[in-house]
């Protein structure tokens, strides 16, 4: 609804003349704000100005004529009656409806606050603080509400509110229309802000503690984890599922926002899981001593917002340390596998195949297939090299690669034969060459010889 402007000029206390919107609400004989459409004409309305308390005249309009409104009697010098009407009507609406739309705060979205009772202009814990409105919810929590129509909550008052741990919301009603004020207060979250909110802070902390406990429980119950991909200077390790047979809690913060879990995989590899809210992870982890020879991962539980998707946080896990090289992990796994009663190659058909590194228990056909799909080869030194030529033979795989180390540019091309023994890759260097032409010529000569069943 459009704000109705007065036809007459009103003097303000500074001697200037200005236009104010016309009053469509005023105080009745009981001190309640009443709408112009619900009163009698003229002085018989018995209504007063919410600013100066003078008697008002109810000027009821008619079709095609002036709009209905309250007016001061001739000679009045009242200024600011419209802003006072906004303030008092806002208090009355919240008191009667026992409801307010609260804006978002950190992790909590906007929501309607319903009150059991509402107190107007009552002092709170501090005698020097008297908020406009105090709403009390069914759980006994008190929510202070300040209505801003001229001055906002100043810094001195803000400091007192924060020091006293008072929850306070400020609502700016400036520019609102009296006729639309109810829908603005109850349905919209615009033009309002939290001065302080220890109630929401407590609720958020509790929710974060619950999420930390849920992730911890899920890890202990499932005893499995999908570790994310890991990149080194020379190689990228894909994500994989790891199974555990031993888990224990090493550390739990007093506030419940951080827990450190130590776990040992079924292959005997130690892991640390730092589970917690982001602020706790950032403050606690740097102060903890690093455990040697232990893979460490971090789970930020703030990424989980409901019980239904609690497992989704595992998708956001990140590495803090990967102290065990894949070569070291392979050694541990091979030592463990040697104690197994069945042949090593039969691990390919067990659950362990999901958690074993990709270069464990090789068969020559598998190795050759990987070369075809990735076109990459990792040397014994852990370097990813450029493959020039390769071919499958009865002796294994004949492979020619270029050395990436510039210190060896005098012989950058290496010719190797790779076979498999007991599930392990066994590369054997045949020769090195100073240039590409000589290397490729020699490669084809040896390939023809090997295809004719000649020993390389």
């Amino acid at each position: 609804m459009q704000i109705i402007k007065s036809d007459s000029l009103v003097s303000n206390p500074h001697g200037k003349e200005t236009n104010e919107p016309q009053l469509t609400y005023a105080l009745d004989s009981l001190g309640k704000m009443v709408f112009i459409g619900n009163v009698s004409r003229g002085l018989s309305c018995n209504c007063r100005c919410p600013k100066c308390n003078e008697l008002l005249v109810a000027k009821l309009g008619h079709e095609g004529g002036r709009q209905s409104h309250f007016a001061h009697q001739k000679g009045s010098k009242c200024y600011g009656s419209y802003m006072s009407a906004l303030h008092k009507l806002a208090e009355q609406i919240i008191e009667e409806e026992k409801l307010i739309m609260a804006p978002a705060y950190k992790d909590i979205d906007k929501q309607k606050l319903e009150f059991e009772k509402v107190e107007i202009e009552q002092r709170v814990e501090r005698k020097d603080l008297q908020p406009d409105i105090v709403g009390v919810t069914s759980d006994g929590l008190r929510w202070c509400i300040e209505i801003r129509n001229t001055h906002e909550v100043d810094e001195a008052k803000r400091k007192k509110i924060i020091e006293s741990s008072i929850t306070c919301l400020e609502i700016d009603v400036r520019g609102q229309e009296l006729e639309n004020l109810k829908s603005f207060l109850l349905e919209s979250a615009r033009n309002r802000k939290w001065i302080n909110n220890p109630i929401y802070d407590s609720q958020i902390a509790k929710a974060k503690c619950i999420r930390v406990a849920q992730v911890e429980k899920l890890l202990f119950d499932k005893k499995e984890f999908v570790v994310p991909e890991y990149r080194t200077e020379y190689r990228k390790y894909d994500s994989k599922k790891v199974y555990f047979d031993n888990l224990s809690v090493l550390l739990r913060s007093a506030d419940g926002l951080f827990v450190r879990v130590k776990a040992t995989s079924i292959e005997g590899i130690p892991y640390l899981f730092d589970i917690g809210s982001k602020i706790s992870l950032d403050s606690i982890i740097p102060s903890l001593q690093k455990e040697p020879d232990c893979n460490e991962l971090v789970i930020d539980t703030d990424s989980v917002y409901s019980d239904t998707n609690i497992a989704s946080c595992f998708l956001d896990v990140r590495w803090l340390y990967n102290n065990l090289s894949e070569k070291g992990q392979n050694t541990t796994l091979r030592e463990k596998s040697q104690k197994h009663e069945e042949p090593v190659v039969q691990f390919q058909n067990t659950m362990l195949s999901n958690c074993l590194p990709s270069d464990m228990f090789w068969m020559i056909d598998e190795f050759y297939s990987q070369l075809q799909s990735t076109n990459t080869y990792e040397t014994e030194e852990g370097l990813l090299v450029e493959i020039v030529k390769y071919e499958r033979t009865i002796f294994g795989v004949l492979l020619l690669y270029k050395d990436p180390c510039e210190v060896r540019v005098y012989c950058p091309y290496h010719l190797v034969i790779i076979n498999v023994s007991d599930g392990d890759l066994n590369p054997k260097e045949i020769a090195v060459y100073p240039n590409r032409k000589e290397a490729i010529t020699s490669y084809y000569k040896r390939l023809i010889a090997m295809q004719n069943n000649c020993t390389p």
Side-chain angles (χ1 to χ4, degrees), residues 15-34:
K16 297 181 181 180
E17 293 184 331
T18 184
N19 285 330
E20 273 197 293
Q22 292 179 337
L23 284 178
T24 53
Y25 278 83
L27 292 172
D28 65 9
S29 58
L30 299 177
K32 295 290 185 180
M33 295 293 288
V34 61

Side-chain angles (χ1 to χ4, degrees), residues 234 377-385 403-405:
Y234 304 107
Y377 173 66
E378 182 179 4
T379 68
E380 290 185 283
E381 292 78 22
L383 299 177
L384 283 180
V385 296
D403 194 324
C405 300

Side-chain angles (χ1 to χ4, degrees), residues 124-135:
V124 288
E125 291 81 359
R126 292 183 60 138
K127 293 183 179 180
D128 56 348
L129 284 177
Q130 180 177 301
D132 297 324
I133 304 167
V134 176

Side-chain angles (χ1 to χ4, degrees), residues 94-113:
I94 297 173
E95 183 181 23
E96 291 176 348
E97 300 295 328
K98 292 183 173 56
L99 185 71
I100 192 68
M101 176 65 79
Y105 181 81
K106 296 182 180 178
D107 293 344
I108 299 180
D109 293 334
K110 68 176 184 178
Q111 61 177 331
K112 288 186 178 181
L113 295 177

Side-chain angles (χ1 to χ4, degrees), residues 132-171:
D132 297 324
I133 304 167
V134 176
V136 183
T137 49
S138 58
D139 51 9
L141 298 176
R142 297 170 65 83
W143 308 73
C144 297
I145 302 173
E146 292 285 350
I147 305 298
R148 179 185 180 184
N149 54 358
T150 53
H151 302 293
E152 65 179 339
V153 174
D154 58 29
E155 193 57 38
K157 189 172 184 179
R158 182 192 301 271
K159 186 176 180 181
K160 293 178 183 178
I161 290 171
I162 295 175
E163 288 175 350
S164 304
S165 295
I166 295 173
T167 298
C168 183
L169 173 65
E170 182 182 70
I171 303 177

